[in-house]
Amino acid sequence: MTQLDVRPRVGDTVNGVAGGEGGDGDGDVRGKGLGKGSVGLVGSAVIGISTVAPVYCLTSTLGSTAGEVGVQMPAVFLAGFLPMLLVAFAYRELNKAVPDCGTSFTWTVKAFGPRIGWMCGWGLVIATIIVLSNLAGVATSYFWLLAGEITGNPSIGALDDNKLVHIATCLTLIASATAISYRGMTATKGVQYTLVGLQLAVLGLFVAMAFQKASAGTFDTGLDFSWQWMNPFAVESMGAFTAGLSLSIFMYWGWDACLATNEETTGSAKTPGRASLIAMVVLVGSYLATGIAAQMAVGSGTSGLGLGNPETSGNVFAALAGPVMGPLLGILLFVAVLASATASLQTTFIPVARTVLAMSTYEALPASYAKVHPRFKTPGRATVMAGVATGAFYTVMTLVSENVLTDTIFALGLMICFYYSLTAFACAWYFRGELRRSARDLFFKGVFPVLGGLLLAAVFLKTLIDMWNPSYGSGSTVLGVGSVFVIGVGLLALGLVVMLITQRRSPAFFRGEILTKSTPALVVED
């Protein structure tokens, strides 16, 4: 399909306004041809919640977290929320000043220069491709699991074990999600309201029924609520706390998709930041309610229905659906997990496509990715690229080794902490001249972002050390070094190689001639 090339250059004007960064008086920005005013506050918050995929995150990490920290699992959920909240303040302040769909890439370039900014953008793109692959795989597995449950035919559910059937289904889901994202934010919102509403409603039903089972003492392993569960200092060891914290941080990743739609949001300077905070509150509330209800109902032990049982911890809802909700309503929980993974698969294309669009717009990537579809107002080529890369990555990893695929997912936490912490530090540095203007500026532009960045940097370093051990992840090794470490560090090193190649082809960006802190905004007037 025909696409528009709207890549600005320094000095270009649109409706008489200089090309570059920033926004107009009311914060409504449209600088790259994206669909202005396509998303409101609620729609933006829904996109953030959907990208995180709360029901999927809970079923895959609730048990693992309980296995690491026991009854302190709710406390660890709160501990993981803290650095994300602090970083969210950084995103909000940066978005007010520079509402650009490149988010972390654009902001870190302005704060620290083109090379650090380019690597920050690379970290976001690679993390997203890994997550898209994982989400597609999970959605595929739950599709066949649900089909088997509905039909009452185990052989249909077992089709997921057929590698060719699994890959074909996975690629179909990826293609469908890519097509919806390609057609613009209006199509995206329509799907997301349904899928997010469904998963949150079913999750609320599960919580209510779990509390009912707990009060009735239905399960012998159930526990009485204690405020001690909310005390992170009661975790037995620092190693257990760090492991639980890493899982908890992963459960919040993706809320920044709210910011990636800033050029398509009404009130671009303020609405995305508010939406991200709303999404964070909904997420932490959902996680705490579910964690407490499940722990009261079945406990956090390592046997039976206990959340820490290693045989079921990787998919808690599959084990608890029937016992807590009954055979009929339990199917709704499978539907909710499928809806969660599918919804997230679709919205996770948003940040990666728009980051690539911004990088191409500012000549940090080939110019072809700066083309926007004239009808749908989306970065069509970047969206398709993300879909193709996701499908190819998942197919190759699945055919080569399940262990490699698993270890790639374990390496995801490294990428998340990498680009989130860089963005947090970029906020404090970008606004360093304003920190003495008021107490608000000091805390929201300086203290809070730095604290959030330091916490995530500490998790990054601890994870890096833990990854060296072959026991981390699948247990695979490369020359005696854990394969998770090799994959995580290798992906970052690959980014350096790609950056050097790009530097030879786009020297102007890396000389700091295209995007600087003083680059003005590319704005289109109404």
Side-chain angles (χ1 to χ4, degrees), residues 71-75 211 223-231 234 292 295-296:
V71 295
Q72 263 61 54
M73 175 253 295
F211 277 129
L223 301 171
D224 293 329
F225 175 77
S226 171
W227 285 108
Q228 187 68 6
W229 294 357
M230 314 302 288
N231 179 14
I292 292 171
Q295 194 156 272
M296 289 178 65

Side-chain angles (χ1 to χ4, degrees), residues 297-311:
V298 300
S300 59
T302 57
S303 61
L305 290 176
L307 297 176
N309 187 338
E311 295 181 2

Side-chain angles (χ1 to χ4, degrees), residues 19-86:
E21 290 301 296
D24 56 8
D26 63 1
D28 288 329
V29 176
R30 181 184 171 192
K32 302 178 184 66
L34 297 170
K36 180 182 179 182
S38 302
V39 188
L41 177 63
V42 175
S44 183
V46 166
I47 287 172
I49 295 168
S50 173
T51 305
V52 174
V55 177
Y56 157 68
C57 285
L58 282 166
T59 194
S60 60
T61 59
L62 190 66
S64 301
T65 306
E68 293 288 350
V69 300
V71 295
Q72 263 61 54
M73 175 253 295
V76 172
F77 285 169
L78 280 175
F81 173 69
L82 178 60
M84 287 299 187
L85 178 63
L86 296 174

Side-chain angles (χ1 to χ4, degrees), residues 402-427:
E402 292 290 343
N403 286 340
V404 174
L405 181 61
T406 298
D407 288 340
T408 302
I409 295 168
F410 270 97
L412 173 64
L414 204 66
M415 307 299 165
I416 294 172
C417 291
F418 175 74
Y419 85 85
Y420 271 166
S421 59
L422 274 179
T423 307
F425 293 137
C427 178

Side-chain angles (χ1 to χ4, degrees), residues 238-411:
M238 180 57 69
F241 177 77
T242 303
L245 185 63
S246 297
L247 290 167
S248 178
I249 287 174
F250 169 74
M251 292 177 69
Y252 292 102
W253 179 77
W255 55 267
D256 50 313
C258 299
L259 284 301
T261 62
N262 50 18
E263 295 187 34
E264 299 152 273
T265 304
T266 55
S268 297
K270 296 179 180 180
T271 300
R274 291 170 179 168
S276 66
L277 293 177
I278 291 172
M280 294 283 283
V281 170
V282 171
L283 290 169
V284 72
S286 300
Y287 293 160
L288 287 176
T290 306
I292 292 171
Q295 194 156 272
M296 289 178 65
V298 300
S300 59
T302 57
S303 61
L305 290 176
L307 297 176
N309 187 338
E311 295 181 2
T312 59
S313 62
N315 191 350
V316 168
F317 288 154
L320 297 183
V324 173
M325 302 181 70
L328 185 59
L329 291 178
I331 293 178
L332 286 177
L333 203 51
F334 290 106
V335 174
V337 177
L338 176 59
S340 183
T342 303
S344 183
L345 174 63
Q346 194 252 308
T347 53
T348 304
F349 277 100
I350 292 172
V352 65
R354 282 148 184 79
T355 297
V356 170
L357 169 67
M359 294 179 76
S360 179
T361 297
Y362 299 118
E363 301 186 24
L365 284 177
S368 59
Y369 295 116
K371 294 181 179 179
V372 174
H373 194 280
R375 175 185 172 190
F376 300 131
K377 306 298 182 183
T378 59
R381 187 163 296 185
T383 301
V384 172
M385 179 278 295
V388 171
T390 299
F393 177 83
Y394 190 82
T395 300
V396 171
M397 291 298 100
T398 301
L399 293 175
V400 170
S401 171
E402 292 290 343
N403 286 340
V404 174
L405 181 61
T406 298
D407 288 340
T408 302
I409 295 168
F410 270 97

Side-chain angles (χ1 to χ4, degrees), residues 1-2 11 17 28 61 182 196 199 209 278 380 392 438 443 471 491:
M1 296 184 180
T2 305
V17 183
D28 288 329
T61 59
Y182 188 93
V196 171
Q199 62 176 299
M209 297 186 75
I278 291 172
S438 67
F443 282 97
S471 64
L491 287 173

